[in-house]
Amino acid sequence: MNVKNTFFQIVLVSAAFVSCSLFSPKEQAVLNMDLQNTKRIAILMADTVQAITIDSLDVPSSGRLSYKIKLSEPGFYVLDLLQGKRIPLYLEPGDYITIKADATADYDSDEISGSEGVEILNKINRENFISFALIDSLESELSKAESNGTYNNEIRTELDAAYEKNWRKSRPENGFNYIAKSFKSIN
């Protein structure tokens, strides 16, 4: 009986070791996540046309989980928290990314780090969120002013300035330069 148990334990340990080593650290990106207010997530691979679900996972009650993505080249991915919130990621082989996010909170509360690509994309996402919130607010004020007859050019000028600022921020040169040098298939 002892020999069977020992043999079984050796087989289990060997299988666990092999399954953890299916691909080398240079052929993968690791997502180390601390997620709140979601019970399930999806990981999507994105291109210029669509995002394809490559896996979906249950989130433990602690909110902490780790996931390895096999990568042969850099690419865009999306962490879908399935509560209406999606976090874009730019992953490269060898990345170890840490994500702390709440599915019900605004994007500006997310903490994402681990590589230059994800940090730049997170910065762009945060700035866009703030800019779009301002634009939504100004559009609402303009609509109210137009409907109740109190329209003035001051609100329109402020809205135009917010659109201009958002356009400039959504095209940060450092982000595009980084992606262009790192991800050759975007041409």
Side-chain angles (χ1 to χ4, degrees):
M1 189 99 155
N2 261 347
V3 174
K4 281 185 179 179
N5 284 340
T6 303
F7 178 73
F8 184 66
Q9 288 173 345
I10 290 172
V11 169
L12 281 177
V13 169
S14 298
F17 179 74
V18 169
S19 68
C20 289
S21 305
L22 290 177
F23 34 88
S24 78
K26 292 183 180 180
E27 297 174 321
Q28 69 185 2
V30 176
L31 303 179
N32 188 25
M33 299 170 274
D34 183 357
L35 306 173
Q36 302 304 312
N37 296 312
T38 188
K39 294 181 187 210
R40 191 155 180 79
I41 61 169
I43 312 244
L44 298 88
M45 183 172 51
D47 63 23
T48 57
V49 178
Q50 64 185 346
I52 300 166
T53 301
I54 58 172
D55 207 349
S56 58
L57 309 162
D58 289 325
V59 177
S61 60
S62 68
R64 295 171 195 242
L65 68 153
S66 188
Y67 184 79
K68 294 178 183 177
I69 299 175
K70 184 174 182 182
L71 298 175
S72 58
E73 65 181 10
F76 289 99
Y77 291 81
V78 176
L79 174 61
D80 190 342
L81 302 183
L82 302 178
Q83 301 286 333
K85 185 174 186 178
R86 290 181 160 195
I87 299 172
L89 303 167
Y90 178 74
L91 302 175
E92 298 180 77
D95 279 354
Y96 184 87
I97 309 302
T98 301
I99 301 167
K100 185 174 183 176
D102 185 325
T104 60
D106 293 337
Y107 288 100
D108 59 344
S109 67
D110 296 345
E111 296 175 25
I112 304 169
S113 62
S115 77
E116 186 179 5
V118 297
E119 290 171 12
I120 289 171
L121 204 50
N122 187 44
K123 180 180 176 190
I124 292 168
N125 203 36
R126 280 179 188 222
E127 289 174 354
N128 280 341
F129 176 78
I130 292 166
S131 295
F132 286 128
L134 173 63
I135 288 170
D136 288 346
S137 170
L138 290 170
E139 284 179 336
S140 175
E141 289 299 314
L142 182 62
S143 180
K144 285 180 198 172
E146 288 173 339
S147 68
N148 68 19
T150 61
Y151 173 84
N152 69 41
N153 280 332
E154 192 174 305
I155 295 172
R156 170 52 75 191
T157 302
E158 199 173 338
L159 181 60
D160 289 345
Y163 275 124
E164 175 71 20
K165 184 177 179 183
N166 182 56
W167 181 81
R168 289 177 193 264
K169 278 188 173 182
S170 68
R171 301 177 49 97
E173 290 304 315
N174 63 341
F176 285 114
N177 290 338
Y178 175 79
I179 291 168
K181 79 176 182 190
S182 301
F183 195 50
K184 306 284 188 257
S185 62
I186 297 184
N187 291 328

